[in-house]
Short mmCIF file of all heavy atoms in Angstrom, two decimals:
data_model
loop_
_atom_site.label_atom_id
_atom_site.label_comp_id
_atom_site.label_asym_id
_atom_site.label_seq_id
_atom_site.Cartn_x
_atom_site.Cartn_y
_atom_site.Cartn_z
N SER X 1 23.71 55.73 13.16
CA SER X 1 23.22 55.68 11.74
C SER X 1 24.19 56.40 10.80
O SER X 1 24.33 55.94 9.71
CB SER X 1 21.83 56.29 11.71
OG SER X 1 21.86 57.54 12.27
N GLU X 2 24.97 57.42 11.46
CA GLU X 2 25.90 58.13 10.53
C GLU X 2 27.11 57.22 10.24
O GLU X 2 27.90 57.80 9.37
CB GLU X 2 26.27 59.45 11.19
CG GLU X 2 26.73 59.30 12.58
CD GLU X 2 25.64 59.66 13.52
OE1 GLU X 2 24.39 59.09 13.35
OE2 GLU X 2 25.85 60.40 14.49
N ASP X 3 27.24 56.17 10.71
CA ASP X 3 28.32 55.24 10.45
C ASP X 3 27.99 54.45 9.22
O ASP X 3 28.92 53.80 8.66
CB ASP X 3 28.70 54.23 11.55
CG ASP X 3 29.15 55.08 12.72
OD1 ASP X 3 30.03 55.98 12.65
OD2 ASP X 3 28.78 54.66 13.92
N THR X 4 26.77 54.54 8.72
CA THR X 4 26.48 53.79 7.53
C THR X 4 27.14 54.31 6.25
O THR X 4 27.28 55.39 6.05
CB THR X 4 24.94 54.00 7.25
OG1 THR X 4 24.16 53.41 8.30
CG2 THR X 4 24.53 53.29 5.76
N ALA X 5 27.92 53.26 5.64
CA ALA X 5 28.80 53.59 4.56
C ALA X 5 29.35 52.35 4.00
O ALA X 5 29.25 51.30 4.58
CB ALA X 5 29.95 54.43 4.97
N VAL X 6 29.96 52.32 2.84
CA VAL X 6 30.80 51.31 2.32
C VAL X 6 32.35 51.49 3.00
O VAL X 6 32.79 52.66 2.79
CB VAL X 6 31.02 51.24 0.89
CG1 VAL X 6 31.90 50.19 0.40
CG2 VAL X 6 29.61 51.06 0.25
N TYR X 7 32.81 50.62 3.55
CA TYR X 7 34.11 50.62 4.19
C TYR X 7 35.16 50.00 3.40
O TYR X 7 34.96 48.75 2.84
CB TYR X 7 34.02 49.92 5.66
CG TYR X 7 33.24 50.83 6.66
CD1 TYR X 7 31.91 51.06 6.67
CD2 TYR X 7 34.06 51.50 7.69
CE1 TYR X 7 31.28 51.86 7.51
CE2 TYR X 7 33.38 52.30 8.56
CZ TYR X 7 32.01 52.47 8.51
OH TYR X 7 31.37 53.23 9.34
N TYR X 8 36.24 50.70 3.19
CA TYR X 8 37.27 50.13 2.22
C TYR X 8 38.58 49.95 3.11
O TYR X 8 38.97 50.89 3.93
CB TYR X 8 37.61 51.13 1.17
CG TYR X 8 36.51 51.30 0.30
CD1 TYR X 8 35.53 52.32 0.36
CD2 TYR X 8 36.45 50.46 -0.89
CE1 TYR X 8 34.52 52.40 -0.38
CE2 TYR X 8 35.35 50.64 -1.78
CZ TYR X 8 34.38 51.56 -1.53
OH TYR X 8 33.39 51.75 -2.47
N CYS X 9 39.26 48.98 2.91
CA CYS X 9 40.59 48.59 3.46
C CYS X 9 41.62 49.29 2.53
O CYS X 9 41.51 49.26 1.30
CB CYS X 9 40.86 47.16 3.50
SG CYS X 9 42.49 46.63 4.06
N TRP X 10 42.62 50.01 3.11
CA TRP X 10 43.66 50.73 2.35
C TRP X 10 45.01 50.19 2.77
O TRP X 10 45.32 50.06 4.01
CB TRP X 10 43.52 52.27 2.63
CG TRP X 10 44.66 53.05 2.13
CD1 TRP X 10 44.83 53.55 0.82
CD2 TRP X 10 45.69 53.49 2.89
NE1 TRP X 10 45.95 54.22 0.82
CE2 TRP X 10 46.54 54.19 2.04
CE3 TRP X 10 46.15 53.40 4.16
CZ2 TRP X 10 47.68 54.89 2.55
CZ3 TRP X 10 47.26 54.01 4.64
CH2 TRP X 10 47.99 54.74 3.76
N TYR X 11 45.93 50.23 1.80
CA TYR X 11 47.30 49.92 2.03
C TYR X 11 48.17 50.96 1.33
O TYR X 11 48.04 51.20 0.13
CB TYR X 11 47.71 48.58 1.67
CG TYR X 11 49.25 48.27 1.43
CD1 TYR X 11 50.10 48.49 2.40
CD2 TYR X 11 49.66 47.85 0.12
CE1 TYR X 11 51.44 48.33 2.23
CE2 TYR X 11 50.98 47.56 0.00
CZ TYR X 11 51.88 47.93 0.95
OH TYR X 11 53.16 47.62 0.74
N GLY X 12 49.07 51.58 2.06
CA GLY X 12 49.91 52.61 1.51
C GLY X 12 51.30 51.94 0.97
O GLY X 12 52.23 51.95 1.82
N GLY X 13 51.34 51.67 -0.28
CA GLY X 13 52.49 51.05 -0.77
C GLY X 13 53.61 52.04 -1.05
O GLY X 13 53.37 53.23 -0.89
N SER X 14 54.72 51.57 -1.54
CA SER X 14 55.93 52.57 -1.75
C SER X 14 55.63 53.59 -2.85
O SER X 14 56.12 54.66 -2.86
CB SER X 14 57.18 51.70 -1.92
OG SER X 14 56.99 50.95 -3.11
N SER X 15 54.77 53.14 -3.81
CA SER X 15 54.62 53.95 -5.11
C SER X 15 53.21 54.24 -5.32
O SER X 15 52.82 55.08 -6.15
CB SER X 15 55.18 53.36 -6.22
OG SER X 15 54.70 52.09 -6.48
N ARG X 16 52.30 53.55 -4.58
CA ARG X 16 50.79 53.79 -4.94
C ARG X 16 49.95 53.26 -3.75
O ARG X 16 50.52 52.53 -2.89
CB ARG X 16 50.40 53.08 -6.22
CG ARG X 16 50.82 51.60 -6.23
CD ARG X 16 49.89 50.93 -7.33
NE ARG X 16 48.51 50.71 -6.91
CZ ARG X 16 47.66 49.92 -7.50
NH1 ARG X 16 47.96 49.41 -8.57
NH2 ARG X 16 46.38 49.81 -7.09
N SER X 17 48.81 53.66 -3.81
CA SER X 17 47.78 53.11 -2.76
C SER X 17 47.07 51.92 -3.29
O SER X 17 46.80 51.89 -4.61
CB SER X 17 46.71 54.16 -2.39
OG SER X 17 47.36 55.24 -1.58
N TYR X 18 46.62 51.06 -2.52
CA TYR X 18 45.85 49.83 -2.86
C TYR X 18 44.52 49.90 -2.03
O TYR X 18 44.49 50.25 -0.88
CB TYR X 18 46.57 48.49 -2.59
CG TYR X 18 47.91 48.46 -3.44
CD1 TYR X 18 49.11 48.99 -2.99
CD2 TYR X 18 47.93 47.72 -4.58
CE1 TYR X 18 50.21 48.87 -3.74
CE2 TYR X 18 48.95 47.65 -5.39
CZ TYR X 18 50.21 48.11 -4.99
OH TYR X 18 51.26 48.08 -5.72
N TRP X 19 43.47 49.35 -2.68
CA TRP X 19 42.16 49.42 -2.05
C TRP X 19 41.49 48.06 -2.20
O TRP X 19 41.63 47.28 -3.21
CB TRP X 19 41.25 50.32 -2.73
CG TRP X 19 41.78 51.82 -2.61
CD1 TRP X 19 42.58 52.53 -3.54
CD2 TRP X 19 41.52 52.78 -1.64
NE1 TRP X 19 42.67 53.74 -3.04
CE2 TRP X 19 42.17 53.93 -1.86
CE3 TRP X 19 40.75 52.68 -0.52
CZ2 TRP X 19 42.06 55.11 -1.08
CZ3 TRP X 19 40.70 53.85 0.40
CH2 TRP X 19 41.45 54.95 -0.03
N GLY X 20 40.80 47.74 -1.22
CA GLY X 20 39.87 46.56 -1.26
C GLY X 20 38.63 46.77 -2.04
O GLY X 20 38.42 47.99 -2.54
N GLN X 21 37.75 45.87 -2.08
CA GLN X 21 36.49 46.05 -3.00
C GLN X 21 35.39 46.78 -2.26
O GLN X 21 34.49 47.24 -2.63
CB GLN X 21 36.00 44.72 -3.44
CG GLN X 21 35.23 43.88 -2.43
CD GLN X 21 36.03 43.19 -1.35
OE1 GLN X 21 37.34 43.29 -1.38
NE2 GLN X 21 35.48 42.53 -0.52
N GLY X 22 35.62 46.81 -0.85
CA GLY X 22 34.63 47.41 0.09
C GLY X 22 33.64 46.55 0.74
O GLY X 22 33.33 45.49 -0.02
N THR X 23 33.15 46.83 1.86
CA THR X 23 32.15 46.04 2.54
C THR X 23 30.99 47.08 2.99
O THR X 23 31.44 48.04 3.68
CB THR X 23 32.68 45.14 3.56
OG1 THR X 23 31.64 44.28 4.10
CG2 THR X 23 33.33 45.87 4.67
N GLN X 24 29.83 46.75 2.85
CA GLN X 24 28.75 47.64 3.33
C GLN X 24 28.47 47.53 4.88
O GLN X 24 28.30 46.39 5.22
CB GLN X 24 27.46 47.43 2.44
CG GLN X 24 26.20 48.18 2.85
CD GLN X 24 26.37 49.65 2.42
OE1 GLN X 24 26.71 49.89 1.35
NE2 GLN X 24 26.05 50.53 3.38
N VAL X 25 28.28 48.60 5.45
CA VAL X 25 27.93 48.66 6.84
C VAL X 25 26.66 49.51 6.81
O VAL X 25 26.67 50.68 6.41
CB VAL X 25 28.93 49.16 7.72
CG1 VAL X 25 28.40 49.39 9.22
CG2 VAL X 25 30.18 48.23 7.81
N THR X 26 25.57 48.94 7.30
CA THR X 26 24.30 49.69 7.46
C THR X 26 23.82 49.59 8.91
O THR X 26 23.70 48.47 9.51
CB THR X 26 23.11 49.10 6.61
OG1 THR X 26 23.69 49.04 5.24
CG2 THR X 26 21.99 49.88 6.61
N VAL X 27 23.67 50.84 9.46
CA VAL X 27 23.19 50.92 10.89
C VAL X 27 21.83 51.44 10.93
O VAL X 27 21.58 52.58 10.44
CB VAL X 27 24.14 51.89 11.69
CG1 VAL X 27 23.72 51.85 13.27
CG2 VAL X 27 25.58 51.38 11.50
N SER X 28 20.87 50.68 11.38
CA SER X 28 19.46 51.06 11.55
C SER X 28 19.21 51.70 12.80
O SER X 28 19.68 51.40 13.82
CB SER X 28 18.58 49.95 11.30
OG SER X 28 18.73 49.09 12.33
N SER X 29 18.48 52.84 12.74
CA SER X 29 18.15 53.64 13.97
C SER X 29 16.82 53.24 14.54
O SER X 29 16.03 52.50 13.98
CB SER X 29 18.11 55.17 13.65
OG SER X 29 17.19 55.42 12.62
#
């Protein structure tokens, strides 16, 4: 259940970071 969150993809570019829009993960106990 503690893994419940919005998960974001990240890319470390040469001059800045890039992010995806996120995807929701919900774990029911």
Side-chain angles (χ1 to χ4, degrees):
S1 57
E2 50 263 46
D3 295 319
T4 294
V6 177
Y7 284 71
Y8 296 91
C9 179
W10 168 85
Y11 159 57
S14 59
S15 60
R16 54 160 287 188
S17 289
Y18 295 86
W19 299 91
Q21 81 285 356
T23 185
Q24 176 70 47
V25 172
T26 302
V27 184
S28 63
S29 56

